[in-house]
Amino acid sequence: MAHRPRSEMIAETRAKLLAAARQAFGTVGYADASMDDFTAAAGLTRGALYHHFGDKKGLLQAVIAEIDAEMNERLCTISGRAPNRWQGFVDESVAYIEMALEPEIQRIMLRDGPAVLGDPAQWPNANACISSMTRSLARLKADGAVADIDPEAAARLISGASLYAAQWIANSDDPEATSKKAVAAFKAMLEGFLVR
Amino acid sequence: MAHRPRSEMIAETRAKLLAAARQAFGTVGYADASMDDFTAAAGLTRGALYHHFGDKKGLLQAVIAEIDAEMNERLCTISGRAPNRWQGFVDESVAYIEMALEPEIQRIMLRDGPAVLGDPAQWPNANACISSMTRSLARLKADGAVADIDPEAAARLISGASLYAAQWIANSDDPEATSKKAVAAFKAMLEGFLVR
DNA sequence: ATAATTGCATACGGATCGTATGTCAATTAA
DNA sequence: TTAATTGACATACGATCCGTATGCAATTAT
C-alpha cells in the first residue's frame, strides 16, 4: 500500500488539470484561458500541463473527449427508454438540442472546438454522438421507417440544425418560447426523412 | 482635383488592409494570423490597422461584413431566377451549402467568426442571409406552401444543417459523391416543412 | 501663413505560449 | 540496504504578439 499512492497521485493531478481547464475553457473560452492562471488555481504549474497533455491543443482535445463521452452516455440512455425506434430517435435529437443549450457544451464543443481543432467529424475521439445517430438512422432505414437517404448525411444535417437551434434559443430574450418554436420546427423537419 | 486623391488614398489603404486581413484570416485562420505579418504584406503597419478598425476583432467584423454582403447578393440572384417561390427557396438553400464549401467562407464565417464574435445571429451586419431566408419562408407560409411553423426557426435549422453538411463534404475523401448524398438528404429534409 | 487636424509609423510594455533545464521523490537493481 | 534510474513536476528563458502611447508629416482650416 505504498506503491499505489504514486499512480493515484498522478491520476489525481491529471484529473485536477483537466477539471481546471474544462472550467476555464467553458467560461472564458479557449483563447482567453491563461494556462498560468488555471494551473495555479489547481495548485500546479504549466510544467505539469505540458508533461501530461503536450500543449494547449492537446489539453483541449482531452477536455473534449471527456465531454463527448458524457454526452454520448446521456443520449444513449434517453433513446434507450423510448417505446419505439423512431420515437427514440426523435427524443434523442431533441435532447441534443437541449444539451446544446448548456453554455459549457456550446462554448467548448460547438464553438472553440471546431475553431481550434477543425471539423468535428475528424476528431479522433469525439464523434460518438454522430456515429450513434448514424447507426440509429441506419436501423430505422432497415426497418423501412425512413426513406432512402444516406444515414450519415441525415445525421450531420440534424446535428447541424440542432446546434444552430440551440444557439438561437440560448441567445434569445425568451428561451422558453423560442425553444418551443424551435422544437416544433425541428420535429416537422425530421418528418421529412420519413417514408411518405 | 487635389482633395480627391487624399480621400482616395485613405479608402485605398482601408481596402488594402481589408483584403490582406481577409486573405490571412481565410488561410491560416484568425488566431494564427499575425497583424504584423499581413500589414507588412500590404505595405503598411499595425498603426494603420488600429486607426481604421480599432482592434483585431473590429477587423474581423469588417471582413465578415464584406463577405456576408457578397453571399447575400449571390443568394438573392439565385433565388430570383427560379420558376416559383418554393423552387427558389430550395435552390437558395442548396446554394448555401455550396457556398459553405468554399474554404474562406468556412473558415471565417462558420468557424472563427462564431468562436471570436459569438452567436452569428447577434452580429450587427452579418445576418443578411438568415433574414432573407426567413422572409422567403414567411412568404411561402403565406402562400400556403409551407406548414404552420415559425419561419425564423426553420431558417436557422436550415442554415445550421447546411453548414454541417458543407463541412462534411469539404473534408470527405470524395467530395463529389458526398455532395450528392448530402444534397439528396437535404432536399428530403426540406420537404418536412411542406404542408402534407 | 500659421494653426489644427488626421492618417499612419514607431516605440514600448504586458501577457502568453512553448522549450529547455533542474530537482526531488519513488521505483528498481544490485 | 544502498545505489542508480526513471519520471513527475517546477523554474527559467526566449520568442511572439497584441494594444497603447507617442511622434511625424501632410492636408485642411483660419
Side-chain angles (χ1 to χ4, degrees):
Chain A
M1 54 207 72
H3 64 298
R4 273 306 115 181
R6 170 68 169 170
S7 53
E8 279 180 20
M9 288 302 293
I10 295 171
E12 189 181 325
T13 63
R14 213 191 111 98
K16 273 198 282 193
L17 288 172
L18 238 145
R22 177 170 173 169
Q23 155 73 18
F25 290 164
T27 51
V28 300
Y30 177 84
D32 288 340
S34 162
M35 305 175 76
D36 277 318
D37 286 354
F38 68 75
T39 49
L44 297 160
T45 70
R46 280 208 335 277
L49 234 168
Y50 281 94
H51 181 73
H52 282 288
F53 301 99
D55 63 351
K56 202 181 181 184
K57 280 188 182 183
L59 179 59
L60 179 61
Q61 283 182 0
V63 170
I64 282 179
E66 191 182 55
I67 297 178
D68 181 69
E70 294 172 10
M71 289 175 68
N72 189 48
E73 192 189 333
R74 288 167 62 184
L75 289 178
C76 283
T77 66
I78 285 171
S79 68
R81 59 164 169 252
N84 59 67
R85 287 213 197 292
W86 175 253
Q87 185 61 39
F89 180 69
V90 172
D91 290 352
E92 188 180 341
S93 300
V94 172
Y96 191 84
I97 291 189
E98 280 159 10
M99 287 200 313
L101 277 170
E102 298 165 30
E104 186 185 55
I105 289 177
Q106 223 174 91
R107 179 90 232 192
I108 299 178
M109 303 296 283
L110 310 177
R111 279 226 266 274
D112 288 342
V116 176
L117 303 177
D119 180 20
Q122 316 290 76
W123 295 352
N125 223 343
N127 41 15
C129 296
I130 294 275
S131 52
S132 107
M133 202 182 293
T134 303
R135 279 194 303 273
S136 294
L137 278 164
R139 276 197 301 266
L140 285 164
K141 188 173 155 185
D143 292 352
V146 310
D148 182 31
I149 52 172
D150 187 75
E152 189 179 359
R156 288 185 187 279
L157 292 172
I158 291 166
S159 65
S162 305
L163 158 55
Y164 266 45
Q167 282 187 196
W168 181 45
I169 296 169
N171 289 302
S172 77
D173 296 331
D174 186 354
E176 289 294 324
T178 306
S179 177
K180 280 183 181 166
K181 285 192 270 188
V183 169
F186 186 71
K187 285 183 176 172
M189 189 190 83
L190 284 184
E191 287 174 15
F193 293 126
L194 285 173
V195 290
R196 271 169 293 272
Chain B
M1 56 208 67
H3 64 297
R4 270 307 115 181
R6 169 67 168 170
S7 52
E8 278 179 21
M9 288 301 293
I10 295 172
E12 190 181 324
T13 62
R14 213 192 111 98
K16 273 198 281 192
L17 288 172
L18 236 141
R22 178 170 173 168
Q23 155 74 17
F25 290 163
T27 51
V28 300
Y30 177 83
D32 289 339
S34 161
M35 305 175 77
D36 278 318
D37 286 354
F38 68 76
T39 49
L44 297 161
T45 68
R46 283 209 332 279
L49 235 167
Y50 282 94
H51 182 71
H52 282 287
F53 300 100
D55 63 353
K56 201 181 183 185
K57 280 189 182 182
L59 179 60
L60 179 61
Q61 283 183 358
V63 170
I64 282 179
E66 191 183 54
I67 297 179
D68 181 69
E70 294 174 12
M71 289 175 68
N72 189 46
E73 192 188 335
R74 289 167 63 184
L75 289 179
C76 283
T77 65
I78 285 171
S79 66
R81 58 165 170 253
N84 59 67
R85 287 212 196 291
W86 176 252
Q87 187 61 38
F89 180 70
V90 172
D91 291 351
E92 187 180 340
S93 301
V94 172
Y96 191 85
I97 291 188
E98 279 159 10
M99 288 200 312
L101 278 170
E102 299 164 30
E104 186 185 54
I105 289 177
Q106 224 175 92
R107 179 91 231 192
I108 299 178
M109 304 295 283
L110 310 178
R111 279 225 264 276
D112 287 343
V116 176
L117 303 178
D119 179 20
Q122 316 290 76
W123 296 350
N125 224 344
N127 40 17
C129 296
I130 294 275
S131 52
S132 107
M133 202 182 294
T134 302
R135 278 194 303 272
S136 295
L137 278 164
R139 275 196 302 265
L140 286 163
K141 189 172 153 185
D143 292 351
V146 310
D148 181 30
I149 51 173
D150 188 74
E152 188 178 358
R156 289 185 186 278
L157 292 171
I158 291 166
S159 66
S162 305
L163 158 56
Y164 267 46
Q167 282 187 194
W168 181 46
I169 296 167
N171 290 303
S172 78
D173 297 330
D174 185 354
E176 288 294 324
T178 305
S179 178
K180 279 182 183 168
K181 286 192 270 188
V183 169
F186 186 71
K187 285 183 176 172
M189 189 189 83
L190 285 184
E191 288 174 14
F193 293 125
L194 286 173
V195 289
R196 271 171 292 272

